[in-house]
PDB file of all heavy atoms in Angstrom:
ATOM      1  N   ASP A 247      78.117 180.843 145.562  1.00 95.00           N
ATOM      2  CA  ASP A 247      77.505 179.531 145.825  1.00 95.00           C
ATOM      3  C   ASP A 247      78.270 178.478 144.894  1.00 95.00           C
ATOM      4  O   ASP A 247      77.790 177.444 144.568  1.00 95.00           O
ATOM      5  CB  ASP A 247      76.066 179.589 145.187  1.00 95.00           C
ATOM      6  CG  ASP A 247      75.962 180.322 143.884  1.00 95.00           C
ATOM      7  OD1 ASP A 247      77.055 180.641 143.324  1.00 95.00           O
ATOM      8  OD2 ASP A 247      74.869 180.786 143.524  1.00 95.00           O
ATOM      9  N   GLU A 248      79.446 178.776 144.616  1.00 95.00           N
ATOM     10  CA  GLU A 248      80.388 177.703 144.017  1.00 95.00           C
ATOM     11  C   GLU A 248      80.591 176.659 144.928  1.00 95.00           C
ATOM     12  O   GLU A 248      80.669 176.782 146.104  1.00 95.00           O
ATOM     13  CB  GLU A 248      81.835 178.242 143.576  1.00 95.00           C
ATOM     14  CG  GLU A 248      81.747 179.542 142.778  1.00 95.00           C
ATOM     15  CD  GLU A 248      81.720 180.841 143.731  1.00 95.00           C
ATOM     16  OE1 GLU A 248      81.320 180.698 144.854  1.00 95.00           O
ATOM     17  OE2 GLU A 248      82.198 181.909 143.320  1.00 95.00           O
ATOM     18  N   SER A 249      80.675 175.322 144.382  1.00 95.00           N
ATOM     19  CA  SER A 249      81.140 174.248 145.237  1.00 95.00           C
ATOM     20  C   SER A 249      82.335 173.501 144.769  1.00 95.00           C
ATOM     21  O   SER A 249      82.251 172.527 144.110  1.00 95.00           O
ATOM     22  CB  SER A 249      79.979 173.277 145.584  1.00 95.00           C
ATOM     23  OG  SER A 249      79.264 173.074 144.311  1.00 95.00           O
ATOM     24  N   PRO A 250      83.515 174.231 144.770  1.00 96.00           N
ATOM     25  CA  PRO A 250      84.660 173.507 144.443  1.00 96.00           C
ATOM     26  C   PRO A 250      85.094 172.309 145.187  1.00 96.00           C
ATOM     27  O   PRO A 250      84.643 172.112 146.313  1.00 96.00           O
ATOM     28  CB  PRO A 250      85.751 174.581 144.699  1.00 96.00           C
ATOM     29  CG  PRO A 250      85.111 175.531 145.814  1.00 96.00           C
ATOM     30  CD  PRO A 250      83.723 175.402 145.576  1.00 96.00           C
ATOM     31  N   PRO A 251      85.814 171.362 144.547  1.00 97.00           N
ATOM     32  CA  PRO A 251      86.238 170.195 145.315  1.00 97.00           C
ATOM     33  C   PRO A 251      87.086 170.551 146.410  1.00 97.00           C
ATOM     34  O   PRO A 251      87.836 171.425 146.419  1.00 97.00           O
ATOM     35  CB  PRO A 251      87.010 169.333 144.367  1.00 97.00           C
ATOM     36  CG  PRO A 251      87.326 170.350 143.197  1.00 97.00           C
ATOM     37  CD  PRO A 251      86.336 171.453 143.214  1.00 97.00           C
ATOM     38  N   HIS A 252      86.919 169.768 147.484  1.00 97.00           N
ATOM     39  CA  HIS A 252      87.858 169.997 148.738  1.00 97.00           C
ATOM     40  C   HIS A 252      89.043 169.354 148.256  1.00 97.00           C
ATOM     41  O   HIS A 252      89.140 168.463 147.408  1.00 97.00           O
ATOM     42  CB  HIS A 252      87.140 169.083 149.971  1.00 97.00           C
ATOM     43  CG  HIS A 252      87.983 169.266 151.275  1.00 97.00           C
ATOM     44  ND1 HIS A 252      88.944 168.578 151.521  1.00 97.00           N
ATOM     45  CD2 HIS A 252      87.776 170.095 152.287  1.00 97.00           C
ATOM     46  CE1 HIS A 252      89.500 168.829 152.674  1.00 97.00           C
ATOM     47  NE2 HIS A 252      88.707 169.829 153.166  1.00 97.00           N
ATOM     48  N   PRO A 253      90.370 169.895 148.842  1.00 98.00           N
ATOM     49  CA  PRO A 253      91.423 169.174 148.499  1.00 98.00           C
ATOM     50  C   PRO A 253      91.596 167.633 148.509  1.00 98.00           C
ATOM     51  O   PRO A 253      92.263 167.058 147.737  1.00 98.00           O
ATOM     52  CB  PRO A 253      92.443 169.761 149.576  1.00 98.00           C
ATOM     53  CG  PRO A 253      91.907 171.075 149.872  1.00 98.00           C
ATOM     54  CD  PRO A 253      90.459 170.974 149.791  1.00 98.00           C
ATOM     55  N   ARG A 254      90.792 167.015 149.594  1.00 98.00           N
ATOM     56  CA  ARG A 254      90.724 165.634 149.674  1.00 98.00           C
ATOM     57  C   ARG A 254      90.095 165.019 148.367  1.00 98.00           C
ATOM     58  O   ARG A 254      90.596 163.909 147.914  1.00 98.00           O
ATOM     59  CB  ARG A 254      89.880 165.221 150.886  1.00 98.00           C
ATOM     60  CG  ARG A 254      90.493 165.171 152.204  1.00 98.00           C
ATOM     61  CD  ARG A 254      89.681 164.321 153.161  1.00 98.00           C
ATOM     62  NE  ARG A 254      88.363 164.952 153.319  1.00 98.00           N
ATOM     63  CZ  ARG A 254      88.014 165.998 154.131  1.00 98.00           C
ATOM     64  NH1 ARG A 254      88.909 166.518 154.896  1.00 98.00           N
ATOM     65  NH2 ARG A 254      86.727 166.459 154.133  1.00 98.00           N
ATOM     66  N   GLU A 255      89.166 165.735 147.774  1.00 98.00           N
ATOM     67  CA  GLU A 255      88.472 165.155 146.596  1.00 98.00           C
ATOM     68  C   GLU A 255      89.417 165.262 145.426  1.00 98.00           C
ATOM     69  O   GLU A 255      89.676 164.357 144.691  1.00 98.00           O
ATOM     70  CB  GLU A 255      87.258 165.981 146.322  1.00 98.00           C
ATOM     71  CG  GLU A 255      86.093 165.738 147.332  1.00 98.00           C
ATOM     72  CD  GLU A 255      84.931 166.623 147.138  1.00 98.00           C
ATOM     73  OE1 GLU A 255      84.199 166.474 146.052  1.00 98.00           O
ATOM     74  OE2 GLU A 255      84.759 167.619 147.869  1.00 98.00           O
ATOM     75  N   LEU A 256      90.228 166.431 145.386  1.00 98.00           N
ATOM     76  CA  LEU A 256      91.159 166.477 144.331  1.00 98.00           C
ATOM     77  C   LEU A 256      92.282 165.486 144.569  1.00 98.00           C
ATOM     78  O   LEU A 256      92.539 164.693 143.527  1.00 98.00           O
ATOM     79  CB  LEU A 256      91.800 167.927 144.406  1.00 98.00           C
ATOM     80  CG  LEU A 256      92.960 168.053 143.286  1.00 98.00           C
ATOM     81  CD1 LEU A 256      92.420 168.047 141.846  1.00 98.00           C
ATOM     82  CD2 LEU A 256      93.516 169.488 143.471  1.00 98.00           C
ATOM     83  N   ALA A 257      92.725 165.204 145.770  1.00 98.00           N
ATOM     84  CA  ALA A 257      93.671 164.167 146.012  1.00 98.00           C
ATOM     85  C   ALA A 257      93.100 162.837 145.648  1.00 98.00           C
ATOM     86  O   ALA A 257      93.934 162.058 145.008  1.00 98.00           O
ATOM     87  CB  ALA A 257      94.087 164.225 147.496  1.00 98.00           C
ATOM     88  N   ALA A 258      91.892 162.571 145.968  1.00 98.00           N
ATOM     89  CA  ALA A 258      91.282 161.151 145.624  1.00 98.00           C
ATOM     90  C   ALA A 258      91.484 160.965 144.059  1.00 98.00           C
ATOM     91  O   ALA A 258      91.761 159.875 143.588  1.00 98.00           O
ATOM     92  CB  ALA A 258      89.958 161.121 146.044  1.00 98.00           C
ATOM     93  N   ALA A 259      91.286 162.033 143.362  1.00 98.00           N
ATOM     94  CA  ALA A 259      91.281 161.899 141.850  1.00 98.00           C
ATOM     95  C   ALA A 259      92.744 161.869 141.302  1.00 98.00           C
ATOM     96  O   ALA A 259      92.874 161.145 140.300  1.00 98.00           O
ATOM     97  CB  ALA A 259      90.586 163.088 141.198  1.00 98.00           C
ATOM     98  N   ILE A 260      93.638 162.511 141.866  1.00 97.00           N
ATOM     99  CA  ILE A 260      94.991 162.503 141.170  1.00 97.00           C
ATOM    100  C   ILE A 260      96.138 161.823 142.020  1.00 97.00           C
ATOM    101  O   ILE A 260      97.134 161.478 141.299  1.00 97.00           O
ATOM    102  CB  ILE A 260      95.363 163.969 140.926  1.00 97.00           C
ATOM    103  CG1 ILE A 260      95.539 164.873 142.222  1.00 97.00           C
ATOM    104  CG2 ILE A 260      94.418 164.669 139.982  1.00 97.00           C
ATOM    105  CD1 ILE A 260      96.309 166.258 141.925  1.00 97.00           C
ATOM    106  N   VAL A 261      95.928 161.541 143.267  1.00 97.00           N
ATOM    107  CA  VAL A 261      97.021 160.851 144.002  1.00 97.00           C
ATOM    108  C   VAL A 261      97.430 159.562 143.307  1.00 97.00           C
ATOM    109  O   VAL A 261      98.627 159.249 143.205  1.00 97.00           O
ATOM    110  CB  VAL A 261      96.780 160.681 145.513  1.00 97.00           C
ATOM    111  CG1 VAL A 261      97.582 159.675 146.213  1.00 97.00           C
ATOM    112  CG2 VAL A 261      96.946 162.119 146.185  1.00 97.00           C
ATOM    113  N   PRO A 262      96.458 158.673 142.894  1.00 96.00           N
ATOM    114  CA  PRO A 262      96.849 157.438 142.290  1.00 96.00           C
ATOM    115  C   PRO A 262      97.818 157.784 141.064  1.00 96.00           C
ATOM    116  O   PRO A 262      98.902 157.039 140.906  1.00 96.00           O
ATOM    117  CB  PRO A 262      95.600 156.812 141.767  1.00 96.00           C
ATOM    118  CG  PRO A 262      94.549 157.475 142.678  1.00 96.00           C
ATOM    119  CD  PRO A 262      95.019 158.766 143.022  1.00 96.00           C
ATOM    120  N   MET A 263      97.532 158.714 140.302  1.00 95.00           N
ATOM    121  CA  MET A 263      98.486 159.140 139.173  1.00 95.00           C
ATOM    122  C   MET A 263      99.851 159.659 139.663  1.00 95.00           C
ATOM    123  O   MET A 263     100.905 159.235 139.109  1.00 95.00           O
ATOM    124  CB  MET A 263      97.870 160.119 138.302  1.00 95.00           C
ATOM    125  CG  MET A 263      96.952 159.703 137.298  1.00 95.00           C
ATOM    126  SD  MET A 263      95.807 161.240 136.771  1.00 95.00           S
ATOM    127  CE  MET A 263      96.748 161.878 135.501  1.00 95.00           C
TER     128      MET A 263
END
Side-chain angles (χ1 to χ4, degrees):
D247 47 16
E248 308 88 336
S249 42
H252 187 277
R254 271 195 310 272
E255 295 172 67
L256 178 63
I260 64 173
V261 161
M263 274 162 90

